[in-house]
Amino acid sequence: MLTQLSNQCRQDILKMINKAKAGHPGGSLSCIDILTYLYTKEIKLTKENVSSINRDRLVLSKGHAAPALYAILHNIGIIDSYETFRQINSDLQGHPNMNDTPGVDMSTGSLGQGISCAVGMAIGNKILENGHKVYALLGDGECEEGQVYEALMAASHYQLNNLIAILDYNGLQIDGAIGDVMNPAPFKDKFIAFGWTVIEINGHDFQEIKDAVQLAKTSEKPTMIIAHTVKGKGVSFMENKAGWHGKAPSDEELEKALKELQGGCNYE
Amino acid sequence: MSNMATREAYGLALARIVKENDDVVVLDADLSPATKTCYAKEARPDRFINAGIAESNMVGMAAGMAASHMKPFASSFAMFLAGRAFEQIRNSIAYPHLNVKLCATHAGITVGEDGATHQCNEDLALMRALPGMTVLQPCDAVETREMLNYLVNYNHPCYVRMSRLGVDSIYDENYKFELGKISTIIQGKSIAFIASGIMVSEALIAIEQLNQEGIYPSLYNVHTIKPIDQDKINSIAKSYDYVMTLEEHNVIGGLFSAVVEALKIPKIIYPIGIKDTFGESGTPEALMKKYEIHYTNIIDYTKEIMGHE
Ligand SMILES: Cc1ncc(C[n+]2csc(CCOP(=O)(O)OP(=O)(O)O)c2C)c(N)n1
Ligand SMILES: [Mg+2]
C-alpha cells in the first residue's frame, strides 16, 4: 500500500519538476517515503481539518523538497493539480508558502529556520494543551546552520516531547558530500548531547519509520529520527548524485525514470 | 553583443584574481556552482573555504581573515548573505571596518522559479544603512570584471550585488570602472533614466523603442550605490524635466531612496522598482512584467509621466 503510494508520488515529483523545468528532485525522492508514512498514518489531514490547527502538523524545514510535499498532498486529495508548480500566479510556490497552499503548515525555503518554527508550534501546542504533535523534516546539509542547534537546545529546555524531527540523512548537499563540504557528523552524539531521544532507521523502510514514530511518541524528550536515505532514491541515474540536487529531468530522462518506477518497486 | 550573467563574469574574474594574489581567499556557503566561485575553487583549492550552509559563520570567518591581513571574498545568494547574516556583517565587518568583499549573487526577482524566499529585494536597503559600507552593482560582464579588478586593492568593506540572469554587454573592452562616479551611457534630452544592475540593459531596450516615438531619454548607470555620486545626481535633476530611477529592488531603501536622499533641490523622481511587496515563482520575464519593471513598463511609465498618448 504505502510502497505503491510513494511510488506514485515519486512519479508525480518527477512530472512536476519536468513540467516546471526547475526544482529539486534528489532531496524530494529521498524524503518521500517518510512524508508518505506521516501524511497517511499520523497526520490525519482531510479537506475538513486542513485549515485548522487542531491536528498534527508538519514543517518541511528543507523547503526545497516542496515537490515531495505537493505530491503527497495531491495523492491524499488535499490539492487537486500540480500542473502550475513554479509558474507565475500559482498556489504552488517553488518553496512552500502556508498562505498559498492548503496543507502547508509553515512557509519555508531558507534552511535552518523551519526547525525553530516547529519548536514554537510545539510550545504553542503545550500552552493550548491540545495534545497534538509537530513533525519537522530536516536536511543533513541544513544541519550545518547554527540555528538548528539553537532550536534543538530550546526544544529540550522546554521538554517538548510533542516534537518529532526527522533527519533526511542522504549524505549530499549542493557542493558535494556533506563530509567533504562541511561535516556536521557525528549526528547521533550531537543530538543526544542536546537532550534529545535519538532513533536511527532506514528512511526507506516503512516498518522502521512506523516503529520509530511510535517509540518517539512515548519519549519524555523531543525525538530526532535519523533516517538514512538515498538522494534520488528510486531512479537509478539520480541516486547518490549531487548533480541531481536542483536540476529538472528532460523529457527523455523523465520517460526513462517513469519506466523504471512503473516497472515496479525496485526496492522493498 | 555577448550575453553573460554578472555572476558568471564574477566567477571568471575571481578565479584569475585568486591565482594572481596570494592573500586573496574565497569563501562560499554550499552554492559554488550557482555563485560561480566554483571556478576559483578549481583555480586555487588552497584558497577556497567552503563554510557549508552556515552563512553567519562564513561572514564571521571572513571578518577574522581580514583581521589576519587576508583579502576575503565571500559569496552566497543576496538573501542568505545580506539577509541571513546581516547582524554579523554589521558588527563584525562594518563596525571594525574590515576589508571583506561580500559578493552576493541571485539578487532581486529575476531569481525566478525559486520564488519569494530566494528573491532578495531588500539587500540594498540593508547594506546602504551600514556606516562605511561601499555598495556596488555592476550592469554587465565587462563592468563586473573591471569592478573586481579594482576591488582587489580597495581595502574597505564592500557589498557587490549581482544577478542570476544573463545580460547583453553594454560596455566594450576599454571600459574603465571609476568608483563613485555615475557613468553616462546615452546622452538624450528632457528625460533621464538613472538605472542600476540588470535595469540598465532593460532601459536600453525601452530607449530603442521610445526613440521611434520621438522620445530620447538619457541613460545613466549607477554602479556605485554608496557612496552615491551626489554632484551628478543634482546636475541631472537640474538638467532634465523628468527623472526616473530604475531598479530591481524595493522602492523603499534602494536606488530611488538613494537618489532622493542626494537631492539638494526639490525634484520629483519617478520610480520603477518593486512596490513594497514580495515576489513569487515564475520565469524572470513573467515576473518582471507582473512586478512592473519590464521594458514595456518603462515605456508605458515614461509616456504616462511625459503626457504622451
Ligand atoms: C539559508 C540557506 N542557505 C542556502 C540555501 C540554498 N540551498 C538550497 S538546498 C541546499 C542544500 C541542502 O542540502 P540538504 O539540507 O542536505 O538537502 P537535501 O540533500 O535533502 O536536498 C542549499 C545550500 C538555502 N535554501 N537556504
Ligand atoms: Mg542532504
Side-chain angles (χ1 to χ4, degrees):
Chain A
M1 257 305 287
L2 287 179
T3 321
Q4 269 130 1
L5 183 56
S6 72
N7 182 297
Q8 181 57 51
C9 286
R10 283 193 160 81
Q11 298 182 40
D12 292 332
I13 288 167
L14 296 169
K15 286 186 201 163
M16 206 182 304
I17 298 173
N18 165 268
K19 173 104 201 293
K21 297 194 175 70
H24 298 82
S28 295
L29 293 171
S30 64
C31 71
I32 189 59
D33 293 325
I34 297 159
L35 291 184
T36 299
Y37 171 79
L38 290 175
Y39 275 98
T40 52
K41 302 295 177 193
E42 303 294 338
I43 306 166
K44 297 188 180 77
L45 201 56
T46 62
K47 279 207 156 149
E48 287 68 47
N49 71 9
V50 70
S51 50
S52 157
I53 64 160
N54 284 317
R55 57 171 176 81
D56 292 353
R57 286 178 286 170
L58 182 140
V59 177
L60 189 70
S61 200
K62 43 168 278 186
H64 58 280
L69 181 56
Y70 299 155
I72 188 66
L73 290 177
H74 174 64
N75 279 286
I76 60 171
I78 302 295
I79 58 181
D80 297 332
S81 146
Y82 53 75
E83 292 292 303
T84 62
F85 173 55
R86 282 183 170 249
Q87 289 175 26
I88 196 142
N89 299 324
S90 173
D91 51 6
L92 300 179
Q93 289 296 298
H95 294 79
N97 185 9
M98 63 190 294
N99 296 327
D100 283 323
T101 314
V104 170
D105 293 328
M106 184 66 214
S107 303
T108 54
S110 181
L111 296 168
Q113 301 191 18
I115 181 71
S116 291
C117 303
V119 168
M121 288 157 78
I123 293 174
N125 282 355
K126 288 268 181 194
I127 293 170
L128 294 169
E129 296 180 0
N130 65 13
H132 294 300
K133 302 275 179 238
V134 177
Y135 296 92
L137 187 73
L138 287 156
D140 47 6
E142 180 178 14
C143 289
E144 292 160 1
E145 287 285 1
Q147 182 174 357
V148 169
Y149 301 91
E150 298 176 22
L152 298 184
M153 174 170 67
S156 67
H157 182 82
Y158 287 106
Q159 297 183 313
L160 301 178
N161 61 347
N162 56 346
L163 177 63
I164 301 174
I166 301 107
L167 174 66
D168 183 356
Y169 195 177
N170 60 28
L172 291 175
Q173 55 190 113
I174 291 179
D175 276 334
I178 62 163
D180 295 335
V181 176
M182 176 52 67
N183 200 354
F187 282 121
K188 190 173 179 179
D189 296 346
K190 280 197 183 70
F191 299 150
I192 289 172
F194 274 90
W196 285 54
T197 296
V198 180
I199 306 168
E200 272 195 274
I201 60 161
N202 170 353
H204 300 300
D205 183 314
F206 288 111
Q207 189 60 48
E208 288 192 28
I209 299 172
K210 181 180 173 190
D211 292 345
V213 173
Q214 298 321 312
L215 192 61
K217 286 184 188 172
T218 66
S219 172
E220 294 293 308
K221 309 175 195 170
T223 299
M224 179 69 75
I225 299 172
I226 300 178
H228 292 265
T229 59
V230 174
K231 200 154 176 169
K233 177 75 178 177
V235 179
S236 60
F237 59 92
M238 290 185 179
E239 287 190 0
N240 291 313
K241 297 251 169 29
W244 280 105
H245 170 79
K247 190 174 81 170
S250 66
D251 291 349
E252 297 78 61
E253 286 162 339
L254 174 69
E255 200 183 326
K256 206 172 138 201
L258 292 180
K259 214 173 258 165
E260 269 187 34
L261 289 165
Q262 285 156 1
C265 311
N266 42 8
Y267 66 94
E268 197 65 66
Chain B
M1 207 190 254
S2 71
N3 183 287
M4 188 190 275
T6 48
R7 63 175 166 136
E8 178 76 20
Y10 162 65
L12 294 170
L14 192 60
R16 184 178 35 73
I17 287 168
V18 74
K19 251 178 155 164
E20 292 168 358
N21 296 273
D22 239 19
D23 48 1
V24 168
V25 183
V26 176
L27 297 95
D28 203 290
D30 193 35
L31 282 168
S32 75
T35 61
K36 301 299 171 190
T37 62
C38 54
Y39 305 145
K41 173 165 70 176
E42 231 175 81
R44 274 305 287 270
D46 58 328
R47 290 291 183 277
F48 183 84
I49 304 284
N50 203 328
I53 312 170
E55 297 81 4
S56 308
N57 187 50
M58 174 174 76
V59 162
M61 290 196 294
M65 285 178 195
S68 290
H69 299 178
M70 301 283 107
K71 292 177 171 173
F73 286 69
S75 282
S76 182
F77 290 179
M79 183 63 76
F80 309 129
L81 193 61
R84 184 56 156 267
F86 172 73
E87 200 257 355
Q88 282 82 359
I89 293 173
R90 183 199 186 272
N91 279 329
S92 296
I93 293 176
Y95 179 47
H97 202 77
L98 285 165
N99 179 20
V100 177
K101 306 297 165 355
L102 298 158
C103 301
T105 66
H106 294 66
I109 56 168
T110 52
V111 161
E113 289 82 355
D114 271 347
T117 55
H118 287 54
Q119 296 166 351
C120 196
N121 300 319
E122 306 88 13
D123 52 333
L124 291 178
L126 289 168
M127 293 299 112
R128 249 168 33 82
L130 293 175
M133 181 68 75
T134 298
V135 182
L136 305 175
Q137 177 163 238
C139 69
D140 76 350
V142 171
E143 183 164 63
T144 307
R145 185 192 68 203
E146 293 309 307
M147 192 180 275
L148 262 286
N149 289 342
Y150 180 88
L151 289 181
V152 180
N153 296 310
Y154 179 73
N155 295 326
H156 302 281
C158 186
Y159 181 76
V160 184
R161 184 181 206 243
M162 290 169 287
S163 312
R164 170 180 177 231
L165 206 61
V167 281
D168 286 337
S169 58
I170 286 155
Y171 293 113
D172 65 24
E173 288 301 313
N174 304 317
Y175 173 70
K176 208 171 156 336
F177 170 74
E178 272 187 280
L179 188 100
K181 292 270 175 267
I182 287 178
S183 154
T184 307
I185 293 175
I186 292 175
Q187 192 67 63
K189 54 175 191 269
S190 75
I191 180 162
F193 289 169
I194 303 180
S196 187
I198 63 155
M199 293 307 289
V200 174
S201 57
E202 206 63 19
L204 271 178
I205 305 171
I207 288 170
E208 223 170 85
Q209 299 204 12
L210 285 165
N211 285 172
Q212 287 167 18
E213 303 185 40
I215 301 172
Y216 298 94
S218 291
L219 177 57
Y220 297 99
N221 169 29
V222 186
H223 47 64
T224 308
I225 312 261
K226 187 184 176 185
I228 194 115
D229 188 347
Q230 191 169 23
D231 291 345
K232 189 71 186 173
I233 300 269
N234 281 286
S235 87
I236 292 169
K238 278 192 202 115
S239 316
Y240 294 88
D241 297 334
Y242 307 97
V243 178
M244 190 187 285
T245 54
L246 303 93
E247 63 191 313
E248 189 199 13
H249 185 278
N250 195 340
V251 291
I252 296 176
L255 178 65
F256 170 69
S257 300
V259 167
V260 170
E261 289 159 14
L263 290 174
K264 290 176 180 160
I265 50 161
K267 182 81 184 174
I268 296 174
I269 308 293
Y270 297 91
I272 285 265
I274 310 294
K275 297 174 185 69
D276 198 24
T277 180
F278 293 107
E280 64 178 270
S281 293
T283 61
E285 199 189 2
L287 290 166
M288 289 179 85
K289 283 185 179 150
K290 178 163 176 179
Y291 293 90
E292 301 182 339
I293 62 168
H294 192 252
Y295 71 85
T296 51
N297 304 109
I298 303 173
I299 293 169
D300 291 348
Y301 196 35
T302 301
K303 291 203 245 179
E304 185 192 319
I305 63 179
M306 293 180 78
H308 282 245
E309 278 306 295

